[in-house]
Amino acid sequence: MTTAPGQTTARPYGEARLLNRPALIEYKHMRFLVSDAPSDSNLALYISEFEQHQVKDVVRVCDPTYGTAPLEQLGVKVYDWPFGDGEGPPPSITSDWLDLVQRRFGKDQEKTPDGAIVAHCVAGLGRAPLLVAIALIEAGMTPEESIAYVRERRRGAFNSKQSKYVMEYKRKKARKGKCTIM
């Protein structure tokens, strides 16, 4: 039996579960969940996953597929930053994303993450992992490392256009103790 990503299926004892669970991506002081898009009918299952990881923020980079009130009632802030499927984010969304990552996790890369950020798109394979890769690059990974790191945790992440975007991404903040030759 085939079920679309994010849909639920009954367990033998009748309990519903997500078929495509969010992928946890932790690096240094940051914790992200990359997910496909919830719907109103399965949002409670996603909320259960989000609570296990102390999610504080949800970044929705696709068209809305669910109401945000249940998340907001739990104190989770939802950000609507849609951009084109298969594309890289526009500079304004990249800037907003990096500001959110900075606010949530701070600069101390040795501290334990306080909560997590969910990034989701329709399938959880393109736009959402792309944002996480950007955060990983800003935290010190090379573009190649960020692609591999995300793909190890979210199989199928990135199409060729998005991989190219990540490979060409230039870190916004200066690397401490590193020389840059121009």
Side-chain angles (χ1 to χ4, degrees):
M1 180 173 103
T2 312
T3 307
Q7 289 188 344
T8 60
T9 186
R11 290 184 179 181
Y13 46 87
E15 182 183 328
R17 65 179 175 92
L18 293 173
L19 285 179
N20 191 14
R21 293 183 61 197
L24 178 62
I25 301 175
E26 294 180 292
Y27 182 69
K28 294 185 178 179
H29 64 301
M30 303 180 299
R31 184 183 311 139
F32 303 100
L33 288 176
V34 173
S35 176
D36 58 358
S39 65
D40 285 323
S41 66
N42 65 11
L43 183 57
L45 296 171
Y46 282 86
I47 288 173
S48 177
E49 286 282 328
F50 296 171
E51 287 177 326
Q52 290 176 30
H53 297 283
Q54 301 171 326
V55 168
K56 309 284 188 197
D57 308 284
V58 171
V59 177
R60 181 163 56 184
V61 295
C62 57
D63 292 331
T65 56
Y66 58 92
T68 61
L71 289 163
E72 292 166 348
Q73 289 170 357
L74 295 171
V76 176
K77 175 81 172 130
V78 179
Y79 300 87
D80 280 308
W81 296 336
F83 59 95
D85 190 18
E87 303 290 328
S92 61
I93 289 177
T94 301
S95 179
D96 289 344
W97 167 251
L98 293 175
D99 288 346
L100 173 61
V101 170
Q102 176 68 31
R103 283 192 315 272
R104 173 59 47 217
F105 302 120
K107 293 180 182 180
D108 183 1
Q109 296 190 5
E110 302 304 317
K111 78 173 195 161
T112 303
D114 175 31
I117 298 173
V118 170
H120 82 74
C121 52
V122 175
L125 298 174
R127 293 169 278 185
L130 183 60
L131 289 181
V132 173
I134 290 170
L136 297 174
I137 293 168
E138 293 293 338
M141 281 190 183
T142 66
E144 296 88 351
E145 290 168 336
S146 74
I147 289 171
Y149 198 78
V150 171
R151 281 183 171 164
E152 286 171 1
R153 290 150 182 81
R154 188 74 174 175
R155 263 185 50 188
F158 309 116
N159 65 27
S160 60
K161 192 172 185 179
Q162 291 161 331
S163 294
K164 183 176 189 280
Y165 180 92
V166 172
M167 293 302 293
E168 294 175 353
Y169 180 81
K170 302 294 182 217
R171 186 176 287 133
K172 305 291 183 230
K173 66 181 187 180
R175 296 175 71 181
K176 292 180 183 174
K178 305 281 182 178
C179 294
T180 303
I181 300 173
M182 304 229 170

